[in-house]
Amino acid sequence: ATGAARPGLSRDPSAPTLRAATNSWTTDRLYSSAELKEKPDMSKFLVEDIRNFSIIAHVDHGKSTLADRLLELTGTIDKTKNNKQVLDKLQVERERGITVKAQTASLFYSFQGKQYLLNLIDTPGHVDFSYEVSRSLSACQGVLLVVDANEGIQAQTVANFFLAFEAQLTVIPVINKIDLKNADPDMVEKQIEKVFDIPSDECIKISAKLGTNVESVLQAVIERIPPPKVHRKNPLRALVFDSTFDQYRGVIANVALFDGVVSKGDKIVSAHNQKTYEVNEVGVLNPNEKSTHKLNVPSRPI
């Protein structure tokens, strides 16, 4: 559940720009993320072709590296040696190699002749930022639980698993760093089965650094995580799970759409404080901001 809008000036600094998770891509031909030059037509997205998921893990178990490989495989970014923690944008994140703030991206992926929209949220692993994780999970239907094949299950692995479990999300265990000399993925498989009661055959063994078996992760997201439940004909209802403020453009809100449609120029109301705002831009994150005509929850064609 995520998205964004293209840079632009806003006369009213309090007016929000909505960037939202939307839905799946069905046109006469299939597109990769790299080919989306024009504004995507969100009215062509179908609910059964959308997956909203987060990546959760203990610190330094390879969440952001896995996110880099997923961005490359879907054509969202070009594959280069410089792709390291692409979604980590804060200076402290780049300097220290840790994720502090959850980051989002919408990935377009073709699987078995069908186009899917995968809305990804890369979350922090440190305990001090656990609220970022819980807030992100509220916009998802599933998670990738990444575990280091060398270190095994750690404190935040357990804490983040139970956040996802209590939110009733689908959990896909991913054993990372199988390329390390001392890696023992079979031992970690047994740990996951014993601690989390997840069958060992559901674990996916990968090396995010080398890209080994990462495509299996994308396929598991499509096959195991359910699409969101939405009602297009209902009035607009959306969850703001993250936001930033731009002094020229105003509030930029990351939202998960549950019902209805929102377009540029619409008036929206906050359920918390009952204040009314005008929408200046709408779009998706790919992972940079890409403006769209509207954001809407999808429906099955009649």
Side-chain angles (χ1 to χ4, degrees):
T2 121
R6 205 161 32 187
L9 296 180
S10 166
R11 293 181 180 178
D12 181 2
S14 66
T17 294
L18 288 185
R19 3 180 228 191
T22 5
N23 316 302
S24 81
W25 193 254
T26 52
T27 58
D28 294 334
R29 62 180 289 261
L30 301 181
Y31 293 85
S32 71
S33 294
E35 294 177 294
L36 295 176
K37 305 296 184 184
E38 299 179 358
K39 292 184 178 182
D41 184 357
M42 294 302 173
S43 65
K44 294 185 178 181
F45 288 109
L46 302 178
V47 66
E48 58 266 29
D49 302 330
I50 309 165
R51 302 294 183 268
N52 300 323
F53 68 101
S54 291
I55 304 178
I56 59 175
H58 188 75
V59 179
D60 201 31
H61 279 206
K63 293 183 308 300
S64 297
T65 305
L66 174 57
D68 291 343
R69 300 293 85 75
L70 296 179
L71 291 170
E72 290 175 354
L73 276 173
T74 56
T76 306
I77 59 175
D78 294 329
K79 188 174 181 179
T80 71
K81 293 181 180 180
N82 296 325
N83 288 338
K84 296 181 180 179
Q85 295 177 280
V86 172
L87 294 179
D88 290 343
K89 299 174 182 177
L90 300 179
Q91 183 177 349
V92 66
E93 293 176 322
R94 308 298 298 179
E95 289 176 352
R96 306 205 174 190
I98 61 171
T99 301
V100 171
K101 192 178 189 314
Q103 299 291 342
T104 60
S106 295
L107 319 177
F108 297 89
Y109 181 64
S110 299
F111 178 62
Q112 295 182 347
K114 203 172 185 180
Q115 192 83 12
Y116 290 87
L117 176 61
L118 312 178
N119 291 309
L120 157 70
I121 305 178
D122 180 24
T123 66
H126 197 282
V127 64
D128 288 350
F129 310 109
S130 59
Y131 178 59
E132 286 281 322
V133 179
S134 61
R135 197 174 59 202
S136 300
L137 297 186
S138 63
C140 298
Q141 285 74 51
V143 297
L144 299 177
L145 179 66
V146 180
V147 184
D148 191 317
N150 191 33
E151 296 182 4
I153 293 173
Q154 301 289 307
Q156 283 306 111
T157 314
V158 177
N160 289 334
F161 167 81
F162 280 106
L163 283 176
F165 181 78
E166 290 167 5
Q168 299 182 328
L169 304 183
T170 299
V171 178
I172 300 175
V174 178
I175 301 175
N176 190 26
K177 303 187 182 182
I178 60 173
D179 57 299
L180 294 181
K181 181 179 179 180
N182 295 322
D184 191 349
D186 294 334
M187 178 273 292
V188 176
E189 252 186 8
K190 294 175 182 176
Q191 268 192 337
I192 290 172
E193 186 168 32
K194 182 178 181 180
V195 177
F196 301 138
D197 197 25
I198 300 176
S200 59
D201 59 2
E202 292 187 12
C203 297
I204 304 173
K205 301 173 185 176
I206 69 165
S207 168
K209 182 180 179 180
L210 302 180
T212 308
N213 203 33
V214 173
E215 193 143 10
S216 296
V217 176
L218 285 172
Q219 296 174 6
V221 166
I222 292 170
E223 293 171 346
R224 301 188 203 176
I225 295 177
K229 296 179 180 179
V230 296
H231 303 89
R232 186 175 188 174
K233 295 183 179 179
N234 289 356
L236 175 67
R237 188 168 64 97
L239 170 71
V240 179
F241 63 88
D242 201 0
S243 64
T244 55
F245 181 78
D246 186 292
Q247 61 177 332
Y248 299 107
R249 301 163 63 198
V251 177
I252 303 173
N254 288 34
V255 304
L257 253 62
F258 295 140
D259 297 315
V261 180
V262 61
S263 306
K264 179 179 178 179
D266 286 354
K267 298 290 181 64
I268 59 175
V269 180
S270 167
H272 175 65
N273 59 22
Q274 299 301 309
K275 288 187 176 181
T276 301
Y277 305 93
E278 182 177 349
V279 179
N280 288 331
E281 292 179 84
V282 293
V284 294
L285 289 166
N286 189 237
N288 296 320
E289 298 178 353
K290 182 177 288 293
S291 180
T292 65
H293 295 289
K294 67 173 69 173
L295 295 174
N296 59 269
V297 297
S299 62
R300 192 185 295 270
I302 299 174

